[in-house]
């Protein structure tokens, strides 16, 4: 009988997250922006069972952290993420039975669900290798700043797996279109940085030595905006996938009415009337 997978770890992350020290990646909170850095540069920042679980639990905690208004995720050493570690994930999975495999694939999907559920916009800063689960993390982010030298690949097909991993078949077509997503998921080929920007996967390109700074600049600009309204925008962007156009219009009417009761809405009017720039406070 194949060995059972040991219970996956969970991480008790208390608020505020600025006081939490991760075990499997780096975390820095500067002002209202949290930066997560995948930090195994010698291996191009692969994921392990433990880093998957800790990332999942961190994003779950961030749902309730009122201090953090935006999130940046990046990789150390000139690469974003090389996906699941060959010897720490892929090899052990070969000996797992079906329930153990489903336990793992469910856990990886929970990371994407946690990223989508946290109200803060997530900005990915991407250079170098961004493949497999790394490409999924980039895909699950709300905005992506990349470099011309980035190499993005959803390479599950190349290792004998389906392209439908961690929500790729649902999310990627909505970013770059059905035909382009189909090509990447069927072939597992590399999408260059310039192609990624042209296809809309990257929102913009930056130089390798400034990509993280550009991502943080974008994140800081969002943090300085009406952050309650930003979180409402993120929520509606995800919720409206499952709505008809008429349902979406009705839902947005309710969402906008809620935002009109915020102090930031009043601040914006008062600033406009005084010919000044509004200073938002997120309430």
């Amino acid at each position: 009988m194949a060995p059972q997978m040991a219970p996956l770890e969970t991480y008790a992350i208390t608020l505020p997250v600025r006081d939490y020290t991760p075990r499997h990646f780096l975390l820095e909170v500067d002002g209202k922006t949290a930066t997560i850095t995948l930090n195994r540069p010698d291996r191009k920042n692969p994921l392990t069972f433990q880093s998957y679980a800790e990332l999942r639990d961190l994003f779950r905690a961030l749902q309730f952290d009122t201090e953090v208004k935006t999130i940046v995720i990046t990789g150390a050493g000139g690469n974003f993420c090389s996906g699941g570690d060959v010897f720490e994930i892929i090899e052990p999975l070969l000996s797992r039975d079906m329930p153990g495999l489903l336990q793992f694939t469910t856990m990886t999907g929970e990371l994407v669900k946690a990223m989508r559920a946290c109200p803060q916009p997530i900005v990915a800063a991407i250079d170098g290798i961004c493949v497999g689960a790394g490409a999924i993390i980039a895909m699950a982010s709300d905005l992506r700043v990349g470099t011309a030298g980035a190499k993005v690949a959803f390479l599950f097909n190349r290792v004998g797996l389906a392209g439908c991993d961690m929500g790729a078949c649902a999310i990627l077509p909505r970013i770059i279109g059905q035909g382009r997503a189909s090509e990447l998921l069927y072939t597992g080929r590399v999408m260059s940085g310039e192609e990624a920007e042209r296809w809309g996967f990257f929102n913009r390109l930056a130089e390798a030595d400034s990509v993280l700074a550009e991502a943080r600049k974008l994140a800081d600009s969002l943090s300085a905006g009406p952050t309650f309204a930003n979180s409402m925008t993120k929520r509606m962007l995800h919720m409206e996938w499952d709505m008809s156009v008429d349902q979406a219009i009705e839902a947005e009417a309710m969402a906008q009415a809620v935002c009109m009761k915020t102090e930031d809405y009043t601040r914006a009017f008062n600033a406009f009337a005084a010919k000044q720039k509004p200073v938002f406070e997120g309430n």
Side-chain angles (χ1 to χ4, degrees):
M1 179 180 294
Q4 298 290 324
M5 178 178 286
L8 296 173
E9 292 187 52
T10 58
Y11 295 82
I13 301 174
T14 57
L15 302 181
V17 299
R18 68 168 62 249
D19 296 333
Y20 179 70
T21 302
R23 303 181 201 173
H24 304 291
F25 46 84
L26 302 179
L27 173 66
E28 176 190 5
V29 178
D30 182 9
K32 299 177 181 179
T33 299
T35 300
I36 300 166
T37 304
L38 305 176
N39 190 38
R40 300 179 70 195
D42 56 318
R43 303 280 293 279
K44 300 178 182 178
N45 306 315
L47 298 172
T48 64
F49 293 126
Q50 294 76 24
S51 60
Y52 262 123
E54 192 171 23
L55 283 167
R56 173 204 61 198
D57 291 345
L58 176 63
F59 279 106
R60 284 176 173 172
L62 282 163
Q63 294 181 44
F64 306 101
D65 193 315
T66 57
E67 292 186 6
V68 174
K69 302 303 183 182
T70 53
I71 302 162
V72 172
I73 186 163
T74 192
N79 291 290
F80 186 70
C81 176
S82 57
D85 189 283
V86 172
F87 297 107
E88 295 182 58
I89 287 185
I90 296 175
E91 184 178 33
L93 289 178
L94 295 174
S95 64
R96 304 302 179 186
D97 60 12
M98 184 62 71
L101 292 171
L102 182 58
Q103 181 189 39
F104 169 71
T105 55
T106 299
M107 184 268 289
T108 63
E110 287 296 324
L111 168 57
V112 173
K113 289 197 282 186
M115 293 176 68
R116 285 165 52 81
C118 75
Q120 302 92 337
I122 303 168
V123 183
I126 302 162
D127 189 22
I129 298 299
C130 175
V131 301
I136 295 290
I137 290 174
M139 175 195 76
S141 300
D142 299 289
L143 299 165
R144 288 158 291 276
V145 180
T147 68
K151 296 177 174 62
V152 181
F154 298 83
L155 44 65
F156 309 105
N157 172 274
R158 290 164 58 182
V159 297
L161 298 176
C164 55
D165 197 74
M166 299 170 69
C169 285
I171 300 173
L172 189 61
R174 289 174 165 89
I175 299 173
I176 64 173
Q178 184 79 11
R180 289 167 171 171
S182 297
E183 178 183 339
L184 295 181
L185 296 177
Y186 277 125
T187 67
R189 74 165 180 84
V190 170
M191 175 172 55
S192 70
E194 292 179 346
E195 186 178 31
E197 192 270 339
R198 189 169 68 249
W199 280 11
F201 188 76
F202 288 165
N203 295 88
R204 63 186 69 166
L205 292 177
E207 297 298 323
D209 60 359
S210 63
V211 64
L212 179 56
E214 287 295 315
R216 283 177 168 162
K217 181 179 178 182
L218 175 57
D220 289 343
S221 71
L222 296 176
S223 292
T227 53
F228 177 87
N230 288 345
S231 67
M232 186 68 78
T233 299
K234 178 170 179 173
R235 176 176 295 187
M236 298 311 294
L237 279 168
H238 294 318
M239 286 178 59
E240 291 181 29
W241 285 9
D242 299 321
M243 297 179 184
S244 68
V245 173
D246 284 351
Q247 289 172 326
I249 291 171
E250 292 297 321
E252 290 188 6
M254 290 185 282
Q256 203 69 299
V258 171
C259 290
M260 288 174 181
K261 291 298 291 182
T262 63
E263 294 298 323
D264 276 346
Y265 182 63
T266 302
R267 291 184 186 102
F269 169 76
N270 290 337
F272 178 81
K275 298 183 179 180
Q276 298 173 348
K277 182 178 179 180
V279 178
F280 294 113
E281 297 182 20
N283 59 359

